[in-house]
């Protein structure tokens, strides 16, 4: 019997330190089990002192030498489109490896489509949400692939179940890096052969192999995008899977795309084509997809990507949310900042969200300027302290535009 974690059990988590990284430490209390499957267990846990939720992933190791396959804990990246992983801890006393991960309530793409979460939208709204989700997945893949030019990180199991998304497309997270190939990692080569990826989504020539190429994830992503747009698996049923595994033309040809825009179809076809005809770089997929969206007037407004557009302004997007503590003001609901994807957190160490803060006072949004050098240069309201969409500020030669203010439901733990 494996030493499973139980509801109410407490755990002091200290992540194993990596070179150049400080360890992460937190006191956890298990709230409920999410799954238990053989040697694996997943639980929802809370920080005992702050109540913050975490996802605890446990791998039971009969032989501690097996733990080297638990590479996910080393995937610690900072992207709005990749799940946050805080690290891993080897518990030698109980022969288990624990990975601590950001907890999200959103469903995976499979459940999102299967349970008809998009059915309440018009066809135009639904398509716009799908475009938004696809674009965010592309930038998530680009984030980990572009970290190293030589021997890049490869997920190796991109599929609908490994992408979480809210029904409005605002939240998109790539998850589950169990099969990841890490940069300069020799643990991709295992001492025994094991399947890599998922049938019907993995590159068939790389199935059950040690391969780790960028084009593997591009192939899988193309089939995920087909699933998003067509709301069904491209390869389904035993006959389809058997033919797909032969890695002949059937595995590399898009089918059943009735109603799909021809330009979009061409992009997906090139994503799943034979390796010699497939996109070599995810940047090329993004370029073609963005060009298609712009040509058709369907390019979505995505706050994280605002700095893609050439501009002399920093464009900010605010969500009204709760606050638990502020060193300056108390008893206000502050606005959290979402910067453009390429927005630097500071300019020569000067500009940051702490210079220009916002809070809700009744029905009004007001600004708190914490540095006299930050000035309001354009206002949509008569009162300078009240903030409206379109207002502009200036600080340290940086122009700041308030792009959007949006209500956010207060976050609650299930």
């Amino acid at each position: 019997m494996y030493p499973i974690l139980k509801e109410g059990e407490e755990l002091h988590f200290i992540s194993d330190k990596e070179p150049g990284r400080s360890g992460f430490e937190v006191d956890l209390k298990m709230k409920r089990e999410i799954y238990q499957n053989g040697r694996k267990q997943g639980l929802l846990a809370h920080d005992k002192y702050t109540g913050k939720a975490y996802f605890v992933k446990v791998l039971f190791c009969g032989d501690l030498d097996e733990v080297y396959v638990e590479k996910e804990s080393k995937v610690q990246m900072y992207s709005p489109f990749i799940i946050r992983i805080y690290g891993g801890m080897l518990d030698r006393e109980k022969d288990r490896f624990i990975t601590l991960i950001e907890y999200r309530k959103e469903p995976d793409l499979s459940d999102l489509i299967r349970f008809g979460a998009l059915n309440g939208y018009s066809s135009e709204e639904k398509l716009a949400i799908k475009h938004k989700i696809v674009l965010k997945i592309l930038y998530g893949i680009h984030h980990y692939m572009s970290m190293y030019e030589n021997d890049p990180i490869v997920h190796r199991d991109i599929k609908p179940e490994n992408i979480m998304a809210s029904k409005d497309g605002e939240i998109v997270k790539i998850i589950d890096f169990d099969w990841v190939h890490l940069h300069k990692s020799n643990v991709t080569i295992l001492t025994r052969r094991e399947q890599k990826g998922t049938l019907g989504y993995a590159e068939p020539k790389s199935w059950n192999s040690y391969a780790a190429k960028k084009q593997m994830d591009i192939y899988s992503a193309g089939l995920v995008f087909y699933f998003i747009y067509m709301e069904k698996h491209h390869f389904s049923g035993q006959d389809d899977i058997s033919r797909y595994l032969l890695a002949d033309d059937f595995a590399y040809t898009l089918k059943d795309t009735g109603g799909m825009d021809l330009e979009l179809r061409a992009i997906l076809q090139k994503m799943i084509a034979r390796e010699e005809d497939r996109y070599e770089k995810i940047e090329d997929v993004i370029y073609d997809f963005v060009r298609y969206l712009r040509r058709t007037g369907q390019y979505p407004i995505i706050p994280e990507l605002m700095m893609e557009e050439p501009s002399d302004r920093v464009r900010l997007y605010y969500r009204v949310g709760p606050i638990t503590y502020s060193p300056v003001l108390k008893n206000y609901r502050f606005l959290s900042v979402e910067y453009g994807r390429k927005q630097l957190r500071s300019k020569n160490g000067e500009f940051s969200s702490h210079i220009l803060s916002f809070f809700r006072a009744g029905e009004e949004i007001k600004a708190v300027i914490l540095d006299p050098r930050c000035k309001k240069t354009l206002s949509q309201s008569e009162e300078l302290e009240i903030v409206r969409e379109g207002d502009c500020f200036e600080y340290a030669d940086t122009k700041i535009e308030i792009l959007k203010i949006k209500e956010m439901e207060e976050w609650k733990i299930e």
Side-chain angles (χ1 to χ4, degrees):
M1 185 67 179
Y2 297 121
I4 63 172
L5 288 166
K6 299 179 180 179
E7 181 178 335
E9 186 174 346
E10 297 184 0
L11 173 72
H12 184 65
F13 178 90
I14 308 178
S15 65
D16 298 335
K17 292 185 179 181
E18 296 290 326
R21 293 181 185 270
S22 57
F24 183 83
E25 188 170 351
V26 63
D27 286 305
L28 299 170
K29 186 172 184 177
M30 302 303 125
K31 182 174 177 64
R32 62 179 170 86
E33 184 178 76
I34 297 175
Y35 68 81
Q36 185 186 351
N37 182 13
R39 297 193 308 156
K40 295 183 178 181
Q41 184 186 22
L43 306 102
L44 168 63
H46 290 171
D47 183 318
K48 281 176 56 179
Y49 302 106
T50 68
K52 181 177 178 178
Y54 293 93
F55 178 59
V56 176
K57 197 170 183 177
V58 187
L59 173 67
F60 303 106
C61 314
D63 179 353
L64 286 180
D65 290 337
E66 296 178 10
V67 83
Y68 69 89
V69 301
E70 186 60 24
K71 298 171 291 182
E72 183 176 30
S73 66
K74 303 183 187 303
V75 183
Q76 298 176 39
M77 291 180 278
Y78 300 88
S79 164
F81 313 126
I82 296 176
I83 200 74
R84 178 79 172 90
I85 299 174
Y86 297 95
M89 179 182 78
L90 179 58
D91 183 352
R92 292 187 176 276
E93 182 180 345
K94 296 188 176 180
D95 293 349
R96 61 190 181 189
F97 189 86
I98 299 169
T99 304
L100 194 63
I101 303 172
E102 171 188 7
Y103 174 73
R104 302 297 316 184
K105 297 186 292 181
E106 292 78 21
D108 62 50
L109 282 178
S110 181
D111 284 346
L112 193 74
I113 299 298
R114 185 160 56 101
F115 294 119
L118 302 181
N119 289 346
Y121 295 99
S122 68
S123 57
E124 292 80 10
E125 291 171 333
K126 185 185 292 189
L127 184 60
I129 292 171
K130 291 179 177 181
H131 287 332
K132 186 184 296 186
I133 291 173
V134 167
L135 194 56
K136 290 183 177 185
I137 294 170
L138 284 171
Y139 275 102
I141 294 173
H142 175 267
H143 183 86
Y144 66 74
M145 279 191 179
S146 63
M147 293 183 72
Y148 304 100
E149 184 176 350
N150 299 317
D151 190 27
I153 294 172
V154 184
H155 187 287
R156 299 201 301 168
D157 196 18
I158 296 291
K159 59 181 178 180
E161 290 80 2
N162 283 345
I163 297 166
M164 302 180 80
S166 59
K167 66 178 184 178
D168 58 3
E170 290 296 312
I171 304 298
V172 175
K173 300 279 185 180
I174 299 173
I175 67 170
D176 205 342
F177 286 79
D178 277 357
W179 293 116
V180 69
H181 168 68
L182 296 170
H183 174 65
K184 291 186 177 180
S185 171
N186 60 6
V187 297
T188 302
I189 310 300
L190 304 179
T191 57
R192 59 191 184 280
R193 297 181 69 84
E194 293 187 12
Q195 66 186 43
K196 311 299 182 297
T198 299
L199 280 172
Y201 283 91
E203 219 284 19
K205 284 188 176 179
S206 303
W207 176 255
N208 203 28
S209 74
Y210 307 135
K213 299 180 180 179
K214 289 181 180 181
Q215 286 185 302
M216 293 167 56
D217 281 3
I218 292 175
Y219 178 90
S220 300
L223 294 175
V224 169
F225 297 164
Y226 176 92
F227 177 81
I228 292 172
Y229 287 113
M230 301 306 295
E231 301 189 5
K232 62 181 179 180
H233 300 295
H234 189 266
F235 300 109
S236 59
Q238 189 57 49
D239 290 343
D240 264 16
I241 296 299
S242 297
R243 288 192 63 189
Y244 143 89
L245 280 173
L246 294 175
D248 59 11
D249 288 344
F250 181 78
Y252 301 104
T253 305
L254 208 60
K255 58 186 178 69
D256 300 336
T257 56
M260 183 181 291
D261 185 283
L262 293 179
E263 188 174 349
L264 177 59
R265 187 191 189 284
I267 294 172
L268 268 56
Q269 173 57 64
K270 191 172 180 180
M271 291 181 74
I272 73 161
R274 288 186 178 276
E275 189 171 335
E276 58 270 21
D277 299 318
R278 195 179 310 157
Y279 285 103
E280 291 185 8
K281 299 183 296 182
I282 198 68
E283 292 90 338
D284 294 336
V285 183
I286 293 173
Y287 177 83
D288 282 354
F289 186 63
V290 169
R291 184 176 62 177
Y292 156 70
L293 293 177
R294 292 194 188 282
R295 185 189 64 76
T296 56
Q298 301 178 87
Y299 188 76
I301 294 177
I302 298 179
E304 299 93 333
L305 306 180
M306 282 303 166
M307 295 306 291
E308 289 294 294
E309 292 290 340
S311 174
D312 63 348
R313 290 179 178 175
V314 175
R315 305 179 76 189
L316 302 181
Y317 177 95
Y318 293 89
R319 288 171 175 264
V320 180
I323 183 171
T324 55
Y325 170 76
S326 167
V328 181
L329 296 174
K330 297 181 180 179
N331 301 320
Y332 288 107
R333 291 168 60 84
F334 275 71
L335 304 179
S336 57
V337 180
E338 295 186 19
Y339 291 93
R341 189 176 66 88
K342 293 184 179 178
Q343 165 59 25
L344 297 177
R345 296 295 177 172
S346 63
K347 182 174 182 179
N348 297 325
E350 293 183 293
F351 175 73
S352 78
S353 60
H354 299 291
I355 299 301
L356 184 62
S357 295
F358 300 85
F359 66 94
R360 187 181 190 96
E363 296 301 315
E364 303 289 352
I365 304 300
K366 296 188 177 184
V368 179
I369 295 175
L370 307 180
D371 189 303
R373 290 175 296 170
C374 184
K375 300 185 183 301
K376 198 169 188 178
T377 58
L378 177 64
S379 177
Q380 302 296 320
S381 65
E382 294 181 1
E383 298 182 64
L384 288 180
E385 68 172 351
I386 296 177
V387 180
R388 298 281 187 267
E389 293 177 6
D391 285 357
C392 293
F393 296 79
E394 187 172 301
Y395 178 80
D397 297 323
T398 298
K399 295 178 182 178
I400 308 160
E401 177 184 356
I402 308 304
L403 178 67
K404 190 170 185 180
I405 298 174
K406 184 179 179 181
E407 292 285 352
M408 179 177 68
E409 293 182 1
E410 187 167 347
W411 183 75
K412 295 179 180 179
I413 298 172
E414 290 181 330

